[in-house]
Amino acid sequence: MSDSMRQKTGEKGIPTQGLGLKGKRIDAVMFDLDGTLIDSIPTYFSMTAAILEEVGLPQAPRERVACLIKDGLSGFHHLIPEEMSDRKEELMEACFRAGKEISARLDPNAVSLIPGVQALFRRLSRAGIRIGIVTASHAHYIERKLLPLRRAGIDALIDAVILIEDTTEKKPSPEPVMACARRLGVTEDTCVFVGDADVDILAGKRAGTFTVGVLTGVDDYETLAMQGADMIIPGVQDLVPLF
């Protein structure tokens, strides 16, 4: 880790005064959803294990499941072993069907908010800072995935949501982040983008935003630092004092 990274994040990724945001104009804060605002990553790992068992595929290593989570439902190809690649399309379709059935059986209360989201959203709203979500989630699932925010009474504070269907490219392309900025009516250089994965940091940096990595999802400190995150913190609760 570089000296500049230590100055911005502290030795353990804990916020230090300033953090590169002091004096910076911030019109909007955009967030990834899974692993950043909602604690859904353990559920994704459990669902993936159940999908593979249902389809008759071997269990996948953690890094492949992490790739699926980052890609959304279009990422089932990460689960197909190389020796079964001749059946890839068939098996991906089977995974997709199994995923829809298993998802429908999930307890809607199984996923909770990441600590600090409610306080942060209310703080941003009081400060007149617009709030966006940029996710690889599909339209079919978004209402269910926003339930934790609705239960907390903060869903109405969200000004824009960009889904995987809204752009031709997905993260790490900057296109979804730029689309969210347009929908919010702000420029990217006055935005902060917060995410838990390398693809979030890359998308935010390529779009020209200030990037914040959180350690509540799929990627660790080293991975987020390698992509050049402007700040790395344990979770979104550590942003509350900065606004």
Side-chain angles (χ1 to χ4, degrees):
M1 182 172 60
S2 68
D3 289 341
S4 61
M5 180 65 73
R6 287 192 180 92
Q7 289 167 5
K8 289 178 181 176
T9 65
E11 288 290 343
K12 296 182 179 179
I14 298 172
T16 55
Q17 191 172 10
L19 292 166
L21 283 174
K22 188 175 182 181
K24 180 177 174 61
R25 174 177 170 175
I26 302 297
D27 292 330
V29 181
M30 299 181 276
F31 300 88
D32 171 57
L33 183 57
D34 292 289
T36 301
L37 299 177
I38 59 174
D39 188 20
S40 53
I41 302 304
T43 299
Y44 269 116
F45 276 99
S46 298
M47 278 184 57
T48 302
I51 290 168
L52 291 171
E53 183 175 356
E54 178 80 16
V55 175
L57 288 171
Q59 292 299 314
R62 189 185 191 285
E63 58 270 19
R64 284 183 175 268
V65 180
C67 289
L68 165 65
I69 294 170
K70 296 174 192 181
D71 273 356
L73 294 180
S74 59
F76 277 123
H77 63 91
H78 293 291
L79 305 181
I80 311 301
E82 190 174 340
E83 62 272 18
M84 303 176 79
S85 59
D86 58 325
R87 298 176 56 206
K88 184 166 77 170
E89 296 302 322
E90 167 201 346
L91 292 170
M92 283 178 61
E93 181 59 34
C95 286
F96 183 80
R97 288 196 304 270
K100 289 190 73 170
E101 293 170 5
I102 291 167
S103 174
R105 298 197 297 265
L106 283 178
D107 178 359
N109 298 311
V111 174
S112 59
L113 276 184
I114 297 283
V117 172
Q118 187 176 28
L120 178 58
F121 272 38
R122 296 198 184 282
R123 178 71 62 87
L124 294 172
S125 180
R126 285 196 300 270
I129 296 172
R130 296 177 69 76
I131 297 170
I133 292 177
V134 181
T135 174
S137 299
H138 290 251
H140 177 79
Y141 296 101
I142 192 62
E143 288 302 314
R144 183 185 181 105
K145 293 181 76 168
L146 290 176
L147 272 177
L149 289 90
R150 189 171 302 118
R151 288 196 299 265
I154 56 174
D155 58 309
L157 302 180
I158 303 167
D159 297 295
V161 178
I162 296 297
L163 306 171
I164 199 165
E165 291 93 347
D166 290 323
T167 56
T168 56
E169 296 182 350
K170 59 190 175 184
K171 298 176 289 186
S173 164
E175 186 183 354
V177 178
M178 295 169 71
C180 191
R182 285 195 301 273
R183 196 169 291 182
L184 292 170
V186 298
T187 58
E188 292 84 356
D189 61 337
T190 65
C191 293
V192 174
F193 187 55
V194 186
D196 67 297
D198 54 359
V199 294
D200 298 315
I201 303 305
L202 284 167
K205 290 189 77 67
R206 290 168 179 172
T209 72
F210 185 95
T211 55
V212 178
V214 291
L215 303 177
T216 48
V218 292
D219 281 333
D220 59 17
Y221 187 100
E222 289 71 23
T223 302
L224 299 175
M226 189 179 302
Q227 303 306 329
D230 296 301
M231 182 194 310
I232 304 173
I233 54 178
V236 293
Q237 73 273 11
D238 297 291
L239 288 172
V240 176
L242 305 181
F243 296 97

